[in-house]
Amino acid sequence: MSFKFENKTVVVTGAAAGMGEQITKDLISQGATVVAVDINKNALENLKNNIEQEGLPNAKANQRLIIFEGDISKRETNEAMIAKAVEETGKLDVLVNNAGVAGHSEPIGETSDDDWNRIFSVDLNGPMFAIRAAVKQFLEQENGGNIVTIASMAGLKGCRSCAAYGAAKHGLIGLSENTAYMYMHKNIRSNVVCPGAIKTGMTSRPELENQFGRERIRAGMDPEIPFGTPKDVANAVLFLASDDARFINGASLVVDGGISCN
Ligand SMILES: NC(=O)c1ccc[n+]([C@@H]2O[C@H](COP(=O)([O-])OP(=O)(O)OC[C@H]3O[C@@H](n4cnc5c(N)ncnc54)[C@H](O)[C@@H]3O)[C@@H](O)[C@H]2O)c1
């Protein structure tokens, strides 16, 4: 898939692994300058080395990658990453809220305060800080901008993950819709991508899952769960982030191979 991202500045959170890595590489390939934000410094360095070695199909790709270490659950990180984009390029065109952490299928009766707070601070509070900082920047610049947020199927159906994750991802969709509506006349768009099961580090440890919760979640699903790839999600993200999607605002695009249709 090819979209026009030349001269576009994009901030991607959780950029060093999984979907964020793919989104970052695809944006860089298609001409964007990317501020790649992650809590994992080593993984960010690896991303930079990989992009240098792979020689992505666009001139000076590695010079358009700006790595930025930070924890997005903190307001300061979110404000600083937006400021970094503006400092380096004079503007921000797109924010991709991708970083997230999952639980282990725990129902609310087995959810500790620590788990609830950890998931909410990364999956909902962090994107809220980022969206707020991005909107302030979009309002200051002539061409506005747009936001793509990675929620989950668990943001549309409460029975597809642990209690805290589902609640946080539902909140993200509500925040994205509110943002889309409030700023629809200000040249700001806000959309969501809802992946189903995607093969990344997040889905690689089934042995840690809460057995009762996992059985309840599985009971409501087709037994043959189709797994997608980070590329499947990146394709949807780049489309929504591109100017080709200029009239799409407040949408939630499901990327799950059909598993949520039952
Ligand atoms: N993998 C799936 O099946 C799946 C399904 C639906 C939704 N999602 C969502 O997609 C997004 C990406 O997931 P993934 O599967 O690529 O995950 P992943 O675990 O493979 O990668 C997540 C990246 O985010 C970074 N990160 C985690 N916490 C952070 C923090 N506090 N600050 C900054 N960076 C942080 C990690 O270091 C990592 O590089 C998440 O929001 C996740 O909830 C994933």
Side-chain angles (χ1 to χ4, degrees):
M1 269 194 191
S2 183
F3 300 103
K4 295 188 188 75
F5 283 99
E6 279 86 12
N7 301 317
K8 298 276 189 191
T9 306
V10 186
V11 170
V12 180
T13 67
M19 300 179 205
E21 178 180 359
Q22 187 69 54
I23 293 164
T24 299
K25 287 179 171 172
D26 288 358
L27 284 166
I28 297 253
S29 291
Q30 297 186 27
T33 296
V34 177
V35 177
V37 183
D38 207 285
I39 199 168
N40 186 333
K41 191 177 180 204
N42 289 340
L44 277 176
E45 298 288 353
N46 288 341
L47 173 70
K48 194 164 179 63
N49 293 338
N50 285 345
I51 286 180
E52 275 165 14
Q53 281 160 16
E54 283 172 23
L56 292 179
N58 206 307
K60 298 185 176 151
N62 56 336
Q63 292 176 18
R64 288 185 282 98
L65 175 71
I66 301 158
I67 59 174
F68 190 96
E69 184 196 353
D71 177 353
I72 60 115
S73 67
K74 299 187 186 327
R75 178 175 50 75
E76 298 76 15
T77 302
N78 291 279
E79 292 176 354
M81 73 194 187
I82 302 296
K84 181 74 175 169
V86 177
E87 181 192 313
E88 294 282 341
T89 68
K91 65 186 174 119
L92 172 72
D93 294 295
V94 183
L95 164 68
V96 179
N97 284 309
N98 165 73
V101 290
H104 302 293
S105 305
E106 306 89 343
I108 193 62
E110 297 174 58
T111 302
S112 68
D113 288 357
D114 281 353
D115 282 342
W116 183 272
N117 291 333
R118 179 180 62 88
I119 288 171
F120 262 69
S121 67
V122 179
D123 291 358
L124 185 55
N125 295 353
M128 178 277 290
F129 293 135
I131 290 171
R132 188 170 65 190
V135 161
K136 286 182 180 173
Q137 176 58 32
F138 292 156
L139 291 172
E140 274 181 25
Q141 57 193 37
E142 202 178 326
N143 294 327
N146 83 79
I147 301 159
V148 182
T149 297
I150 313 293
S152 169
M153 264 319 302
L156 293 168
K157 297 200 175 188
C159 53
R160 287 292 156 88
S161 185
C162 75
Y165 186 81
K169 295 292 190 180
H170 271 72
L172 262 189
I173 293 174
L175 173 60
S176 178
E177 286 183 4
N178 182 277
T179 306
Y181 181 75
M182 289 290 179
Y183 299 107
M184 64 189 284
H185 300 304
K186 304 281 185 190
N187 214 7
I188 297 173
R189 295 188 294 117
S190 177
N191 291 294
V192 173
V193 172
C194 292
I198 308 294
K199 280 224 181 304
T200 68
M202 186 176 276
T203 49
S204 64
R205 304 286 305 276
E207 73 278 10
L208 297 179
E209 298 295 304
N210 176 292
Q211 282 312 309
F212 171 75
R214 190 171 170 82
E215 278 166 22
R216 292 299 303 139
I217 292 165
R218 285 292 179 96
M221 293 169 85
D222 188 298
E224 302 279 323
I225 297 175
F227 269 84
T229 66
K231 186 79 179 169
D232 294 321
V233 177
N235 287 342
V237 170
L238 265 69
F239 167 60
L240 289 174
S242 75
D243 292 341
D244 291 348
R246 57 168 285 279
F247 202 54
I248 301 178
N249 190 22
S252 293
L253 178 56
V254 174
V255 181
D256 75 344
I259 191 81
S260 58
C261 295
N262 65 340

